Amino acid sequence: GDSVTQMEGPVTLSEEAFLTINCTYTATGYPSLFWYVQYPGEGLQLLLKATKADDKGSNKGFEATYRKETTSFHLEKGSVQVSDSAVYFCALRRTGTASKLTFGTGTRLQVTL
Amino acid sequence: GAGVSQSPSNKVTEKGKDVELRCDPISGHTALYWYRQSLGQGLEFLIYFQGNSAPDKSGLPSDRFSAERTGGSVSTLTIQRTQQEDSAVYLCASSFSPDRSNEQFFGPGTRLTVL
């Protein structure tokens, strides 16, 4: 079945450091790929998405590129801020009628001054 | 409000009791999803509605779990004879259609604690 694997946290970085959170997936066909973010005390929010190979999703300085050859969708940000501290979830959504999201386990990011 | 709403926000119950969790999707959204977020299992899909029908119930963990949706809008997730392992945050999401490109918008969740 479908699965998403993301790097375990917590990830602790200093402000302005470079961030990478790895995500790889297993799925048949051509899924859409997503990063969701959950800030402390808040609900899940879509951060960015990509719907086909080589697409790059971007938002709030975060980027991720859909790499079909490596089945990856790594999240990157050039300079993190304290306000980026949150839990980040990688997810996929298959084509066809089964439109549920399959999530990774989440990676907690803590950014310090 | 314009977002997905869920009630109650917190529910504490005793083992063996039944609970009902409610979800109000964004107006006009035809697709509705229930997920569960727990410490040991991460975020798991439970059930998906398109209109009032549930074409995918594959994530419901046991026959103690059921859900319905009426009028293509409000949905209720019912857990009968609750067990301690049911303790989790139950999340509802809706999207305009189930097409893969449509974003799912999540509610704030209901935190269920089974004593």
Side-chain angles (χ1 to χ4, degrees):
Chain A
D2 299 341
S3 67
V4 175
T5 302
Q6 56 181 113
M7 61 188 292
E8 292 191 15
V11 174
T12 302
L13 295 173
S14 298
E15 199 169 44
E16 299 184 0
F18 185 85
L19 169 71
T20 300
I21 300 178
N22 289 336
C23 172
T24 57
Y25 68 90
T26 301
T28 55
Y30 300 90
S32 293
L33 301 174
F34 304 83
W35 278 99
Y36 278 81
V37 59
Q38 190 172 36
Y39 297 103
E42 298 185 17
L44 272 173
Q45 304 172 25
L46 178 65
L47 180 61
L48 53 84
K49 67 180 182 182
T51 58
K52 61 183 187 295
D54 299 325
D55 267 3
K56 178 185 283 187
S58 61
N59 186 26
K60 299 182 180 180
F62 290 89
E63 293 183 339
T65 301
Y66 190 140
R67 301 288 189 200
K68 184 162 178 61
E69 63 275 14
T70 54
T71 61
S72 65
F73 194 55
H74 305 321
L75 182 68
E76 297 182 334
K77 187 174 185 181
S79 176
V80 293
Q81 305 299 311
V82 171
S83 57
D84 294 326
S85 298
V87 181
Y88 293 82
F89 293 90
C90 185
L92 70 82
R93 193 175 179 186
R94 284 178 62 183
T95 55
T97 58
S99 59
K100 66 184 180 185
L101 286 163
T102 299
F103 287 91
T105 52
T107 302
R108 181 175 298 279
L109 171 65
Q110 181 70 46
V111 181
T112 60
L113 291 171
Chain B
V4 178
S5 60
Q6 294 185 244
S7 60
S9 56
N10 280 285
K11 177 71 176 179
V12 180
T13 190
E14 294 180 348
K15 178 181 173 181
K17 300 285 190 183
D18 297 352
V19 295
E20 284 189 353
L21 312 179
R22 178 187 168 106
C23 172
D24 282 272
I26 294 172
S27 178
H29 281 194
T30 63
L32 185 147
Y33 313 80
W34 284 97
Y35 296 87
R36 180 169 71 172
Q37 186 175 21
S38 55
L39 278 177
Q41 302 296 326
L43 262 164
E44 308 170 275
F45 165 79
L46 297 178
I47 186 170
Y48 147 60
F49 287 92
Q50 177 56 33
N52 293 334
S53 301
D56 188 351
K57 310 178 184 178
S58 63
L60 293 178
S62 75
D63 59 8
R64 295 186 297 104
F65 288 72
S66 63
E68 66 174 11
R69 189 179 185 196
T70 56
S73 181
V74 171
S75 176
T76 302
L77 177 69
T78 301
I79 309 173
Q80 296 178 309
R81 305 181 302 282
T82 52
Q83 304 294 312
Q84 288 183 331
E85 61 263 28
D86 300 334
S87 295
V89 177
Y90 289 82
L91 297 173
C92 177
S94 69
S95 68
F96 183 71
S97 81
D99 180 85
R100 70 180 183 130
S101 64
N102 275 287
E103 179 181 349
Q104 292 185 19
F105 293 85
F106 283 79
T110 294
R111 182 175 297 278
L112 174 66
T113 303
V114 182
L115 301 176

